[in-house]
Amino acid sequence: MSDADPSGESPPTDRDYAEWLDALADGEGFALACPDGHGSLPPRRVCPECGSPDLSREPLRETGTVETYSVVHVPSPRFADDAPYATAVVDFGPTRLTGIVRGDDPDGDAAPEVAIGDAVTAAVGERATDGERLVVFRPAADRSPDE
Ligand SMILES: [Zn+2]
């Protein structure tokens, strides 16, 4: 496998992130972990914590825990058709993911309900505004506490 892209059409960083989204969409989401256990996500080439280039792929946990969230009523133009929506930072073990929260009703107008400590699953969805792929969190079917 070569990192060279003679066409020059797609920067490696975008491609790495697209591949990571593909894996997440297939239920095979992963984090990059260095030997010290610091987690990060593609397109990282080195650990952001300690600079180690020795990154391995660790499967993400099936469910994560909401650490923080905020409901956006006045979105940036790229999310104009998605509002209101909630963005959340979710702890998946070795790393955290940032994405938007969607409830069980994808066409609902109300902002989804989310709370710190909620268990959610991560998937790949599309931004309503322009179809760009992004990380989407949904309430985990089983809400039993997982501490
Ligand atoms: Zn590290």
Side-chain angles (χ1 to χ4, degrees):
M1 197 170 117
S2 168
D3 283 331
D5 182 0
S7 74
E9 286 175 6
S10 172
T13 54
D14 287 354
R15 192 177 54 209
D16 286 351
Y17 188 68
E19 286 177 1
W20 180 82
L21 283 174
D22 287 344
L24 185 62
D26 288 342
E28 296 171 355
F30 61 89
L32 301 176
C34 80
D36 285 343
H38 305 132
S40 57
L41 292 174
R44 294 281 187 187
R45 301 284 191 203
V46 299
C47 175
E49 298 284 333
C50 66
S52 169
D54 185 16
L55 301 181
S56 61
R57 292 185 175 192
E58 299 287 334
L60 289 177
R61 293 201 319 226
E62 227 166 275
T63 61
T65 306
V66 176
E67 288 202 332
T68 65
Y69 71 95
S70 61
V71 177
V72 178
H73 291 280
V74 182
S76 67
R78 293 170 68 188
F79 283 86
D81 293 344
D82 292 275
Y85 64 95
T87 62
V89 177
V90 179
D91 178 8
F92 272 88
T95 191
R96 295 175 176 83
L97 303 185
T98 302
I100 70 171
V101 181
R102 287 197 176 144
D104 294 328
D105 175 13
D107 297 321
D109 286 333
E113 290 187 18
V114 62
I116 290 170
D118 275 3
V120 297
T121 59
V124 177
E126 289 185 355
R127 193 155 60 200
T129 309
D130 59 6
E132 178 94 356
R133 294 195 301 171
L134 74 176
V135 176
V136 171
F137 301 120
R138 287 195 164 83
D142 179 5
R143 284 172 172 261
S144 62
D146 180 26
E147 298 299 334

